[in-house]
């Protein structure tokens, strides 16, 4: 298919572009060295449609089919850093999408459970993660607003789509001292929030700023 011959050169070019991209993340406030290293390693261009590969390291969301997008890398980095991962955590991700954030998380935590509601996207993400030789991730098909009690509690939870509220079941599945990061609020006026479970009954909530994500659709999200 000719692709084989082109591959090494392509990879080199993307490598250089990715180093500049990581420099930009650093300038924009991403300081955690483990997070920066994960962004330096994961090949985002392999997760976007072929025709859009030239824009893979621009700070912009890109379409991945099924009306969904791969989130802009700047916000993925900010959300990842806000999870404060050290390497021994079990993380739940709601909204696998392309699998980009999943691949990043796999490098920063012990285990990642990711849930995607669109079958074709879940299948494509599984294939991509296999191609990256990622072994500590499981992608489940289903409604992530219900979480996944079987693997709870989670040290960290990230939601990559926006519903009206942070789904109640996810708060229940967060470990004490655990962090949840995700968007919520009315369409067009979403806020990125971080919720820390301070004790069994107490949750501390802070705003990380305005944001814009695709719809979180499910029992504890928008009606699909
Ligand atoms: N982190 C992903 C974001 C993809 S967009 C990336 O960068 O590629 C958000 C994803 O959430 C979409 O794929 C969408 O299908 C999915 N989604 C929306 N509601 C969901 C739900 N209730 N459960 C699981 N996935 C959901």
């Amino acid at each position: 298919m000719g692709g084989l011959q082109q591959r090494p050169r392509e990879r080199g070019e993307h490598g250089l572009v990715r180093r500049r991209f990581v420099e930009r993340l650093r300038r924009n406030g991403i300081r955690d060295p483990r997070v920066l290293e994960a962004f330096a390693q994961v090949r985002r261009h392999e997760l976007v449609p072929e025709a859009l590969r030239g824009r893979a390291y621009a700070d912009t969301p890109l379409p991945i089919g099924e009306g969904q997008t791969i989130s802009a890398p700047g916000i993925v980095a900010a959300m990842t850093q806000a999870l404060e991962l050290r390497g021994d955590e079990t993380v739940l991700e709601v909204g696998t999408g392309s699998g980009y954030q999943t691949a990043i998380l796999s490098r920063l935590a012990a285990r990642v459970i990711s849930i995607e509601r669109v079958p074709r996207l879940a299948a494509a993400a599984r294939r991509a993660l296999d191609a990256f030789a990622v072994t500590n991730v499981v992608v489940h098909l289903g409604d992530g607003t219900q979480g996944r009690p079987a693997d709870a509690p989670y040290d960290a939870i990230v939601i990559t789509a926006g519903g009206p509220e942070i789904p109640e079941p996810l708060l229940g599945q967060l470990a004490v001292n655990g962090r949840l990061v995700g968007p919520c609020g009315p369409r067009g006026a979403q806020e990125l929030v971080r919720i820390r479970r301070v004790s069994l009954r107490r949750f501390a909530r802070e705003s990380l700023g305005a944001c814009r994500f695709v719809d979180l659709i499910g029992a504890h999200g928008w009606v699909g």
Side-chain angles (χ1 to χ4, degrees), residues 34-106:
R34 295 180 68 241
V35 172
L36 289 167
E37 181 57 25
F39 279 84
Q41 295 297 330
V42 177
R43 302 189 298 271
R44 188 174 192 260
H45 61 277
E46 294 186 8
L47 299 174
V48 306
E50 194 111 28
L52 299 175
R53 284 196 170 176
R55 293 165 64 197
Y57 297 100
D59 195 15
T60 176
L62 295 170
I64 54 172
E66 310 286 330
Q68 305 302 323
T69 56
I70 178 170
S71 307
I75 190 114
V76 176
M79 290 168 78
T80 302
Q81 178 166 266
L83 292 173
E84 300 175 345
L85 300 172
R86 300 209 157 80
D88 59 352
E89 297 87 353
T90 298
V91 182
L92 174 69
E93 177 188 43
V94 176
T96 317
S98 65
Y100 182 58
Q101 171 123 52
T102 327
I104 296 283
L105 294 170
S106 78

Side-chain angles (χ1 to χ4, degrees), residues 164-183:
E165 292 292 343
I166 298 296
E168 200 62 45
L170 299 183
L171 295 175
Q173 292 169 34
L174 191 60
V176 171
N177 294 323
R179 289 80 55 199
L180 177 152
V181 174

Side-chain angles (χ1 to χ4, degrees), residues 44 47 62 64-72 76 93-102 114-118 121-122 140-146 159-162 213-222:
R44 188 174 192 260
L47 299 174
L62 295 170
I64 54 172
E66 310 286 330
Q68 305 302 323
T69 56
I70 178 170
S71 307
V76 176
E93 177 188 43
V94 176
T96 317
S98 65
Y100 182 58
Q101 171 123 52
T102 327
S114 187
I115 309 176
E116 170 58 52
R117 66 179 284 275
V118 178
L121 295 178
H140 294 284
L141 185 64
D143 175 11
T145 67
Q146 318 256 26
I159 314 172
T160 72
F213 281 81
V214 299
D215 281 359
L216 180 71
I217 296 167
H220 299 266
W222 300 108

